[in-house]
Amino acid sequence: MFTHSRVKIAIIGAGPVGSLCACFMAENGYDVTVYESRTDIRLDKSTSGRSINLALSERGINALRFIGLDNIVIEELTEPMYGRMIHSIDGHTYSIMYDINKSKCLYSVSRKELNAFLLTKLEKYPNVKLNFSHKLVDVDFNAKLLTFQKSLENQQQTVKPDVIIGCDGAHSVVRKHMIRQPMFNFSQTYIDHGYFEISLPSAATKDTLAPGHLHIWPRSTFMLIALPNKDKSWTCTLFMPMDQFPLILESENEDILRFFNEYFKDFMDLIQPEHLLNQVTNGKARTLISIKCNPYHVNDNFLLMGDAAHAIVPFYGQGMNAGFEDCTILNQLLEEYDHDLKNVIKTFSLRRIEDAEAISDLAFYNYIEMRDLVARKSFLWRKKLDNILNKWFPQTWIPLHSSVSFTTIGYKQCKLDNQWQDQILFRMFILFATFFSISLYFFASIMSKSL
Amino acid sequence: MFTHSRVKIAIIGAGPVGSLCACFMAENGYDVTVYESRTDIRLDKSTSGRSINLALSERGINALRFIGLDNIVIEELTEPMYGRMIHSIDGHTYSIMYDINKSKCLYSVSRKELNAFLLTKLEKYPNVKLNFSHKLVDVDFNAKLLTFQKSLENQQQTVKPDVIIGCDGAHSVVRKHMIRQPMFNFSQTYIDHGYFEISLPSAATKDTLAPGHLHIWPRSTFMLIALPNKDKSWTCTLFMPMDQFPLILESENEDILRFFNEYFKDFMDLIQPEHLLNQVTNGKARTLISIKCNPYHVNDNFLLMGDAAHAIVPFYGQGMNAGFEDCTILNQLLEEYDHDLKNVIKTFSLRRIEDAEAISDLAFYNYIEMRDLVARKSFLWRKKLDNILNKWFPQTWIPLHSSVSFTTIGYKQCKLDNQWQDQILFRMFILFATFFSISLYFFASIMSKSL
């Protein structure tokens, strides 16, 4: 086996997962080169992020902890969200806390800022080389060759690393080449719904939204959400069926405002109409894709991680957390297999696929919860019951949202636990209903005899 | 609207479906150009086919009927198969007919010969141009541009047709480009099992297999099948889990022969051991892929058909039949929408996807039936019951295999009918069992009183 410093690792994609994965491999002493098709995100001065704000939770934090970055990221980059603030259509609001003790929270973070932070950290490793504007154009799986188009110099470069890790996101180029390899199972599913981003700058409003919350305007088939930023601005996102967007966003200005005033009255109190209209004119609705692969590797030297392997819809705020957790698992496997990379790569798929598929399903489900169920009485009762049972049995009764967001229990196990909890609650309900009916019957008999 | 002769249709792929589709479009008066990446299959003198022999059935024949080729294809190219001949491990054989009246049959045909026949037919249309050795290398969906690499002249050619139909098979290049388009859902699934082709030449044996049958050696987790050829040779295929092939095919000669002698004794009586070993040495096991897309079109001018849109596993012998039926449906839509091609292309997806997904599921199921169930008593009893009910109610009780192979009832409807039949049979069984139990009880009571 090579000594680690002689093993060349190529990481494709310098997004949050690619950057973190590179940090992990650098910490392990490998010779790491990162290739990113775009220019350095730190040089991009545009304020709009490429995506929804991210909600960092335990799995992501745990990965950052491995390289000692958890506290600094939380302190310098994030805003805490202790619960959901639900905005009814009549302007009434109520808060649903994530944790009964109000101590656990999600951390809202700008994708761009987190990415920039990790890149700056990454640059400090002497065994890491960062190549921006390197677009992967060809992969030779047998010869282990990667060919890049260097957009700045308008020339191509071919490299031959020992291991290639594709962290190049939901529209991964590494995966595009893997699709042609035998026995590589793959699916991409676009959901009918898409999203449109609206920023709510802190300066634009006198009032603002209550801090410490993820704000939701659930409207059954669509919803608006708002996540806080460090500078007191909010990143808001409108989710709705893709075919509905043109009807609203491409209509006359007064119709656009009428729609927002009708469904999001208290949101409109915080934003200047011109500012909203300006964003509607210049923005565009984007699609949401879910990716599944099996396996995540080709041969024993090509591996996919993060969104490239298992992009999910964003409704659980777990996309980046799952990607960061991939890094933790890769690190565990390096230790477990004593850096026998061939085995590490093959085992990664086995270790990860079921959990990634579970969070993919849960994320689909959570969209229904967010845009519809949170506004229902039955949901609030279930939440209360969950909290009571969690208080009585803190080790065994962990509600689904908590186990997903505040633990590192495997996603599949979280899903199974929730199914088991649903069954218990259903049986308790039947038992209670039966007991109540029998009592009512005896009470009625006694009453009729006494009359 | 253009007159048809001015509308340029590009068909990618000159396999059986591409060739037939081109015939249909030519008959409709369009200006058709076919692009095929390979050389003309008629110039290829190698005897081995690229795939399993095909089983032409009603849907395929119906499509050929539209252009008056049904009878000539059946007479000149095919061998009939009236039923399955099951070979038990002890050498015992029994026949299961496809049709109670023994009149309906599947037609075994070599993919290569059928393809060659259709190409020769296609050449006769004055409004068709056939371009071999044209490999599609780039697609511009917005500008409707296709770029081909002309391998013979080592130069590129860019064309701008009005409509592009991708009939380029399970590993479609057109689809590869479509995958990057928004809202294009796609999945590819490799099954765990693969196949290995073995030819049984007529000259190599004194004895041969009983004619008029598809021969099956079902061995629970694997199977061997044999389809007849016009020249009295047989095309045989061994199906088994991909990870088992190396254990058998890459072992010592005596171990290979021991395996075949143990499981396919009567097959080994027909083939010279050297001939078998020669094929094992020079051949290789191939994978089986299942493809699903939704929709089949991008914009209103790019359409996928046949395996490119919905490749299925081969166990129902419906892959080519479904592809040919695509041509029939396209033709019906051209008539229905009075050649408004934009509407035709968009409607094709809606009209076809559910049926294609149904035959995909049925084809998976039929593998279990072929390699395992056909050898079971319960399957034979069900088959007999189906035949009786079909005789009594010929219009309403059509067994699944018959409705798929001998009618043009939509595949989805075939699947639904089968589920309904299963329910009826299950209820009949319960009724019969209850009646039998009650009778037994009364009989026992009477007997005990009389004693």
Side-chain angles (χ1 to χ4, degrees), chain B residues 89-101:
Chain B
I89 200 158
D90 60 6
H92 169 72
T93 59
Y94 55 95
S95 162
I96 307 173
M97 303 309 281
Y98 288 129
D99 172 48
I100 193 167
N101 301 314

Side-chain angles (χ1 to χ4, degrees), chain B residues 72-104:
Chain B
I72 191 166
V73 164
I74 289 175
E75 278 162 29
E76 291 192 6
L77 303 180
T78 74
E79 273 291 301
M81 302 184 293
Y82 291 92
R84 298 161 171 167
M85 182 68 79
I86 312 301
H87 296 247
S88 304
I89 200 158
D90 60 6
H92 169 72
T93 59
Y94 55 95
S95 162
I96 307 173
M97 303 309 281
Y98 288 129
D99 172 48
I100 193 167
N101 301 314
K102 301 181 185 177
S103 65
K104 290 178 183 158

Side-chain angles (χ1 to χ4, degrees), chain B residues 357-376:
Chain B
E357 298 206 340
I359 189 60
S360 177
D361 298 341
L362 289 172
F364 270 117
Y365 167 79
N366 217 46
Y367 184 35
I368 305 164
E369 177 169 316
M370 284 177 86
R371 68 177 156 82
D372 191 13
L373 304 186
V374 288
R376 293 177 187 234

Side-chain angles (χ1 to χ4, degrees), chain A residues 44-56:
Chain A
D44 177 12
K45 297 297 173 205
S46 72
T47 49
S48 73
R50 271 204 321 106
S51 68
I52 307 155
N53 258 34
L54 304 170
L56 184 66

Side-chain angles (χ1 to χ4, degrees), chain A residues 172-212:
Chain A
S172 168
V173 179
V174 179
R175 193 189 62 226
K176 187 184 93 172
H177 288 90
M178 280 186 173
I179 288 174
R180 312 284 282 183
Q181 297 298 303
M183 302 307 279
F184 186 79
N185 299 298
F186 167 71
S187 80
Q188 65 180 37
T189 309
Y190 285 88
I191 63 168
D192 294 338
H193 292 233
Y195 70 97
F196 184 88
E197 235 177 83
I198 301 162
S199 86
L200 183 63
S202 49
T205 58
K206 286 177 289 181
D207 262 341
T208 189
L209 294 164

